[in-house]
Amino acid sequence: MFYQLTEGRIKMKIKNVVPRIDKFVKQQGWAYWLVDTTPKSVAKLGNKGEKKYFETREEAEAYAAEVNSAQLHNGGASSSKGGTVGDAIKMVVTSYKRRRDEGNVGFTAVRGYIKNAECWEEHIGHIKCSDLNHLQIQSVLDGPFGHLSKTTKDRKLKQLVKVLELSRAKGWIPLNARNVAERGEYSETSVVLFENVHNKTEDEIRFGPRKNPFDSELIKKLCEHTLYQDDRINKERERLAQKKHGKIGHNQLPKPIKYRNFGTILSFAFQTGLRFSEQAALRWSDVDLDRKKITVSCALRVTGERGMVGVGTTKSKLLRKDTSVGSGIRYVPITRELHKLLVEWKLKSNFSKDEDLVFPTNVGTWNKTSNNWRIRIMHEACDAVGVDHLRWHDARHYFASKLLNAHNENWGKIADILGHDSTDFTRRQYGHWIEKSKEDDQESSDELSDAMEA
């Protein structure tokens, strides 16, 4: 049995529960100290309360105190077995996996949801859902999760809200009790998320280092090194193939050479800004070498318990007149350097038909994750050049910096090429990379002064 929350907007007359002796039960020789929660004046879940008997008065008074406290706080429990936060988390995880297997939620999204839900189990999983309060949640956010950003904390908190809502549906907390994981403005009554400044001083925030666009010379070195290694390895493979064919005889057709294309893959990522899922799903029919244009319409999607790979829509949901609503089709131009590399790769590739993938595995299938490209291509190039490892997604950020140089502050065009849903997101991501000259700043100041004086 659970008791209702009686603070906030809920108006309810509260009657303290007082232990009493049940004379009839005492005559039978049973435990006769009674705590009765059936009266209407006692706040409870449902229409019925319960009667519970104790051997001694002390036990009855201790339980009555618990019941009375429950009426004033967040829905404490009586003798009914309420589940813990850990039990509710397991049910939420099971629900997410079922929806994922049914195809209702994407694999990647579910993986993030489960991660943000299960992270609470270590800290508050042993607490009963009915006993959990916002102070315990706040202590986890400020303690073990204190180093995380505000956005990351918010994601974890949202999953905890869902966990507690599921426990409400199971009857583990009252129907009209406030969800203690919901955010508020005051730390005295609800969970509050603070902006994480990592304990920086004002001078460190004002004058500290800021993330700048990637060095073009560094990216050029990475691509040139990888292309050089491709050329060296491919020549060696050609030599070995000719030597082997000479031993077999000229009556048999030589086996096709598996050319290495790591340099083309890396240069493509830096010069188009496609997400890995989009680049891995690209087919030659999407590459128009005559018009120097790439049509981005599909992306890899991982679904199912075993990580099955299939093709779905892109992450973008742009609205185009020539496509269906929300299809996310966009067009990316091909640079002169990339055009040359793609032409050469199409001539060498064993999969060059329109229906073939542009960057397949050796057997013509999809690369399921970016791990292979990141470790074998990006990281090896970084080690050879002598720089810190880059992520595969950093190639997309580099391309964005080049778009800013080419189109200045034409946020609409930049957002369309990158596949962002809104220009606001593009501005938030890359707006601080725009560097204006002193003359531009002075001109802007003069224009504002003229407008204010008019």
Side-chain angles (χ1 to χ4, degrees):
M1 197 68 217
F2 297 88
Y3 297 89
Q4 295 173 337
L5 179 72
T6 56
E7 59 185 37
R9 293 178 296 176
I10 301 173
K11 303 295 184 181
M12 181 178 294
K13 181 180 179 181
I14 299 175
K15 179 180 179 180
N16 285 339
V17 178
V18 179
R20 63 182 179 85
I21 297 176
D22 190 324
K23 295 181 180 180
F24 175 78
V25 174
K26 185 177 180 180
Q27 292 175 358
Q28 306 299 322
W30 303 331
Y32 55 86
W33 279 102
L34 170 65
V35 176
D36 186 7
T37 59
T38 57
K40 294 182 179 179
S41 57
V42 177
K44 52 186 174 292
L45 179 65
N47 297 323
K48 295 182 179 180
E50 61 181 353
K51 294 182 178 181
K52 190 170 182 179
Y53 294 89
F54 298 89
E55 294 284 351
T56 64
R57 179 174 182 174
E58 289 74 15
E59 293 176 346
E61 288 179 344
Y63 178 71
E66 181 183 354
V67 172
N68 294 329
S69 176
Q71 296 185 90
L72 296 173
H73 296 86
N74 194 24
S78 66
S79 60
S80 299
K81 294 184 179 180
T84 63
V85 177
D87 296 332
I89 290 174
K90 291 178 182 178
M91 290 192 295
V92 167
V93 170
T94 302
S95 174
Y96 276 135
K97 289 182 178 179
R98 175 180 54 79
R99 294 173 62 192
R100 177 197 61 192
D101 295 339
E102 293 175 353
N104 297 325
V105 186
F107 179 87
T108 305
V110 167
R111 182 172 56 188
Y113 296 157
I114 292 176
K115 179 180 178 181
N116 290 328
E118 289 182 335
C119 68
W120 294 98
E121 188 168 4
E122 177 184 357
H123 308 288
I124 59 175
H126 61 285
I127 303 175
K128 295 179 68 174
C129 296
S130 56
D131 296 336
L132 185 66
N133 59 60
H134 73 281
L135 296 177
Q136 294 167 320
I137 300 172
Q138 190 73 57
S139 65
V140 176
L141 292 172
D142 297 340
F145 297 165
H147 66 286
L148 302 175
S149 66
K150 184 178 179 181
T151 302
T152 304
K153 291 180 183 178
D154 187 46
R155 290 172 181 169
K156 296 182 182 298
L157 201 57
K158 286 180 180 178
Q159 292 306 316
L160 183 59
V161 170
K162 293 183 179 181
V163 168
L164 295 181
E165 287 302 322
L166 179 60
S167 66
R168 186 199 304 277
K170 296 289 292 185
W172 295 349
I173 60 176
L175 291 175
N176 63 343
R178 178 176 58 84
N179 192 317
V180 294
E182 290 181 350
R183 292 174 55 182
E185 298 181 359
Y186 306 102
S187 58
E188 294 82 3
T189 57
S190 58
V191 178
V192 179
L193 291 185
F194 300 98
E195 193 69 46
N196 187 3
V197 296
H198 303 288
N199 298 322
K200 292 182 179 180
T201 64
E202 182 179 351
D203 290 341
E204 289 175 336
I205 297 173
R206 289 180 180 274
F207 309 112
R210 300 186 181 184
K211 186 176 180 181
N212 294 319
F214 297 94
D215 185 5
S216 298
E217 292 299 323
L218 170 62
I219 302 303
K220 186 177 180 180
K221 287 181 181 179
L222 294 176
C223 294
E224 287 180 349
H225 168 79
T226 311
L227 289 169
Y228 170 77
Q229 292 297 327
D230 285 352
D231 185 59
R232 182 182 61 82
I233 293 174
N234 289 336
K235 286 182 179 179
E236 180 65 17
R237 290 179 179 179
E238 289 176 352
R239 186 186 68 80
L240 293 175
Q242 291 176 0
K243 183 178 179 180
K244 186 175 182 180
H245 181 58
K247 291 182 178 179
I248 296 174
H250 296 285
N251 295 329
Q252 298 182 11
L253 293 176
K255 292 184 178 180
I257 302 173
K258 296 179 180 179
Y259 287 99
R260 201 178 99 146
N261 66 333
F262 287 179
T264 305
I265 293 175
L266 189 63
S267 300
F268 187 95
F270 279 116
Q271 297 187 41
T272 62
L274 266 65
R275 303 176 179 92
F276 164 78
S277 59
E278 297 168 346
Q279 183 174 346
L282 199 68
R283 299 186 184 275
W284 283 112
S285 58
D286 300 322
V287 181
D288 191 341
L289 294 174
D290 295 331
R291 300 176 62 185
K292 297 183 178 180
K293 181 180 67 173
I294 298 172
T295 303
V296 184
S297 58
C298 298
L300 292 189
R301 289 290 177 262
V302 184
T303 58
E305 183 71 30
R306 297 182 180 180
M308 300 300 293
V309 176
V311 173
T313 58
T314 64
K315 188 177 180 180
S316 312
K317 294 180 174 59
L318 305 177
L319 305 182
R320 301 287 185 183
K321 294 182 179 180
D322 55 341
T323 62
S324 59
V325 175
S327 62
I329 294 180
R330 71 181 194 277
Y331 306 99
V332 179
I334 300 176
T335 62
R336 289 187 294 270
E337 180 184 355
L338 182 60
H339 183 270
K340 179 182 177 181
L341 293 175
L342 287 174
V343 170
E344 293 177 355
W345 170 238
K346 189 171 185 179
L347 294 174
K348 292 181 179 180
S349 176
N350 297 322
F351 305 96
S352 57
K353 298 179 181 179
D354 287 346
E355 63 272 15
D356 291 334
L357 296 170
V358 180
F359 304 111
T361 63
N362 288 334
V363 294
T365 57
W366 293 298
N367 287 277
K368 293 184 179 181
T369 69
S370 63
N371 295 339
N372 185 37
W373 289 359
R374 186 184 70 254
I375 297 172
R376 297 184 62 197
I377 303 178
M378 183 75 79
H379 288 184
E380 284 189 6
C382 291
D383 292 338
V385 176
V387 297
D388 294 336
H389 287 175
L390 298 177
R391 302 173 305 161
W392 192 260
H393 202 72
D394 287 335
R396 179 171 170 83
H397 295 324
Y398 170 78
F399 179 69
S401 69
K402 291 301 178 183
L403 286 180
L404 289 173
N405 293 335
H407 302 294
N408 199 9
E409 295 189 50
N410 189 347
W411 297 107
K413 189 168 186 177
I414 295 174
D416 283 352
I417 296 176
L418 289 174
H420 291 163
D421 291 345
S422 67
T423 57
D424 290 340
F425 178 81
T426 309
R427 187 188 296 271
R428 290 196 305 270
Q429 286 288 98
Y430 306 110
H432 62 285
W433 282 359
I434 294 182
E435 297 180 359
K436 294 185 178 181
S437 64
K438 294 182 179 180
E439 290 77 9
D440 293 338
D441 293 339
Q442 183 63 40
E443 182 180 352
S444 176
S445 177
D446 294 340
E447 291 177 353
L448 179 59
S449 299
D450 294 339
M452 295 295 291
E453 294 173 359

